[in-house]
Every structure is written in C-alpha cells, then in structure tokens.
C-alpha cells in the first residue's frame, strides 16, 4: 500500500477513490464522502496515513459513528481498519469521523449533514435510489442510471469545500490498546476461542455459541444482540 500512502500524501482524491472502489466493491457518494472527510481530518490534525509502525502501535484512531459506505472510505484513506484495531465503531448512526492522536488524545471531528448535501444530487436521484436500493424493485435500466449518477455525485463529494462540513477540535477519553489474550479450546465444538469470550461450566470452557449465550454482532442496522436462533 505504499502507492496509496503516497496518493494520500498528495491528496489525490480521484486515485484514492479507485483504490476504494476495489475495496468497497462500487463507487457511491458516501464512499467518496468518507475519503473527503478523512483528508480534511488528516490535514487538520497534521497526520498522514498509517504506515507499518503506526498501525502496529495504533498511534492514530479513527472513530466512526455509522456502518455505511462512508466508513469504507475512511478505512482506505486513513489506513485505520477494524483489523488493525485503529478503527472504532460507535453505534450512533451519524455520518461522522473523529480522527485522534493517541499521544495526546486530541483530535478532529468531521460531521457531514446528509440533508444539506442533497443539493449536489441531480434531480430524481433520491427517488431512483429508493426504487433501486431501498425498495429493491428497480429495472436494469434504472440500476445502470443510478450507478452513473453515483459516479457523478461521488466525484462532486471529493471536491466539497470545508465549509460544507462541521469541523471541531475535540479531546476524547483515552481508549485502551487492543489486549493480547490467550486462546482456549471449546469443550463442545473443539474450536479455539479468545479466553475473554468463554463461559466455564464445571470448570470446562465453552464458546458463547455452544453455551447458548447471547453475544453481540454488527449488522446492517448496527450493533445487535444475537441468540443461538439468530439476530
């Protein structure tokens, strides 16, 4: 990803969007909005994309408040991902990125107002989106037209002026680094599981699924409780 690091340093949003297309699967307005918000936050905070040492040390944290296309734009641009423990998902349902330095716990919060940004959408886009994506009843021609409009709007999002965002300097409470824990083998399924996620019955370890305990999962609507019978 050295090339991507360079593109972020050069603020080449168009080329970053192509990386994001491969990562996310398609181009859409909120993917591009995540890129634009990230570049603004990184510039305001004076940081670059996470490199090798930065990701290992979790030196920068990206806190997002929505699990949508926006978040994938953030992950690609900042290098803060769920897997390297530098992405924190806060289940508030807002299009927000807060980028934070671990060394000071000072950060920048960038909020995008979806209603305000609709002025950049060509007439009929929202109705077309509702038919194709929300209601899932669009024709092949309507789907094709929506993808074309999304590409057009996405490139507009990449160039949004800063005053279209709410940008705040913030200080956040310290967040612990990801702990390294041992694994334990479930007595029922035989699979290894983090020791912090086991239940002991008569001194025998069981994973939450085998024990029938409720556990947590991130699905389309946010963080939910999951039982052995499903969400």
């Amino acid at each position: 990803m050295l090339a991507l690091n360079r593109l972020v340093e050069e603020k080449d949003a168009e080329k970053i969007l192509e990386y994001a297309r491969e990562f996310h699967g398609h181009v859409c307005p909120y993917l591009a909005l995540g890129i634009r918000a990230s570049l603004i936050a990184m510039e305001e905070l004076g940081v670059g994309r996470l490199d090798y040492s930065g990701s290992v040390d979790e030196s920068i944290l990206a806190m997002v408040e929505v699990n949508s296309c926006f978040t994938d734009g953030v992950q690609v641009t900042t290098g803060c991902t769920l897997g390297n423990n530098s992405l924190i998902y806060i289940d508030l349902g807002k299009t927000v990125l807060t980028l934070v330095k671990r060394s000071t716990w000072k950060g920048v919060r960038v909020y995008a107002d979806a209603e305000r940004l609709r002025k950049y959408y060509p007439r009929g886009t929202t109705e077309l989106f509702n038919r194709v994506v929300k209601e899932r009843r669009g024709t092949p021609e309507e789907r094709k037209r929506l993808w074309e409009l999304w590409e057009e709007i996405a490139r507009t999002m990449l160039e949004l002026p800063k005053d279209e965002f709410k940008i705040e300097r913030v200080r956040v409470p310290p967040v612990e680094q990801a702990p390294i824990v041992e694994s334990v083998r479930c007595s029922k399924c035989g699979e290894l599981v983090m020791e912090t996620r086991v239940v002991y019955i008569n001194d025998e370890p069981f994973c939450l699924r085998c024990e029938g305990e409720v556990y947590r999962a991130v699905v389309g609507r946010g963080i939910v409780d999951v039982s052995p019978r499903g969400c």
Side-chain angles (χ1 to χ4, degrees), residues 122-134:
R123 184 184 299 273
T125 300
T126 301
E127 293 77 12
L128 186 59
F129 171 84
N130 288 340
R131 282 199 302 276
V132 173
V133 179
K134 189 174 181 180

Side-chain angles (χ1 to χ4, degrees), residues 4-229:
L4 183 51
N5 289 351
R6 184 174 65 252
L7 292 176
V8 172
E9 183 179 346
E10 295 170 355
K11 299 183 177 63
D12 193 334
E14 286 277 352
K15 291 183 180 177
I16 296 170
L17 183 63
E18 291 309 308
Y19 273 88
R21 182 199 301 272
E22 294 299 316
F23 180 78
H24 184 64
H26 64 261
V27 165
C28 61
Y30 275 74
L31 181 69
L33 194 60
I35 293 171
R36 180 60 179 140
S38 297
L39 290 174
I40 289 173
M42 294 163 76
E43 180 181 16
E44 291 286 325
L45 198 58
V47 299
R49 190 175 189 273
L50 279 189
D51 57 14
Y52 173 77
S53 61
S55 62
V56 171
D57 296 336
E58 303 168 27
S59 60
I60 299 170
L61 296 179
M63 299 179 176
V64 294
E65 300 182 14
V66 66
N67 58 323
S68 72
C69 308
F70 176 84
T71 295
D72 275 359
V74 170
Q75 290 190 94
V76 168
T77 309
T78 64
C80 298
T81 70
L82 188 65
N84 65 25
N85 293 302
S86 295
L87 181 79
I88 295 176
Y89 169 54
I90 304 169
D91 193 22
L92 292 176
K94 296 182 180 182
T95 306
V96 170
L97 163 64
T98 302
L99 199 63
V100 180
K101 285 183 179 179
R102 222 182 236 287
S103 59
T104 62
W105 296 110
K106 293 180 180 179
V108 174
R109 184 178 187 269
V110 181
Y111 163 75
D113 192 308
E115 188 173 87
R116 180 174 175 176
L117 296 181
R118 283 182 191 145
K119 64 188 176 187
Y120 292 102
Y121 287 29
R123 184 184 299 273
T125 300
T126 301
E127 293 77 12
L128 186 59
F129 171 84
N130 288 340
R131 282 199 302 276
V132 173
V133 179
K134 189 174 181 180
E135 300 169 11
R136 305 190 188 282
R137 61 180 181 89
T139 66
E141 292 76 18
E142 287 175 325
R143 290 174 63 85
K144 183 176 183 294
R145 178 54 181 156
L146 180 61
W147 307 151
E148 293 170 348
L149 287 172
W150 269 0
E151 291 264 354
E152 176 186 334
I153 299 167
R155 281 166 173 76
T156 300
M157 296 295 108
L158 293 179
E159 302 297 330
L160 285 177
K162 284 186 178 181
D163 60 13
E164 288 290 1
F165 298 86
K166 179 181 177 182
I167 303 172
E168 303 172 282
R169 295 282 176 168
V170 296
R171 182 185 289 272
V172 305
V175 178
E176 67 173 346
Q177 288 185 297
I180 306 300
V181 300
E182 298 297 326
S183 294
V184 176
R185 196 171 298 280
C186 175
S187 296
K188 184 174 181 179
C189 68
E191 296 177 351
L192 287 173
V193 57
M194 295 169 62
E195 63 178 354
T196 53
R197 296 295 186 273
V198 298
V199 175
Y200 283 90
I201 301 175
N202 297 326
D203 295 326
E204 293 290 331
F206 292 86
C207 70
L208 297 178
R209 181 178 287 121
C210 286
E211 170 51 20
E213 294 279 340
V214 171
Y215 50 93
R216 308 285 279 164
V218 178
V219 300
R221 65 179 184 271
I223 300 174
V224 300
D225 288 332
V226 179
S227 75
R229 294 175 297 280

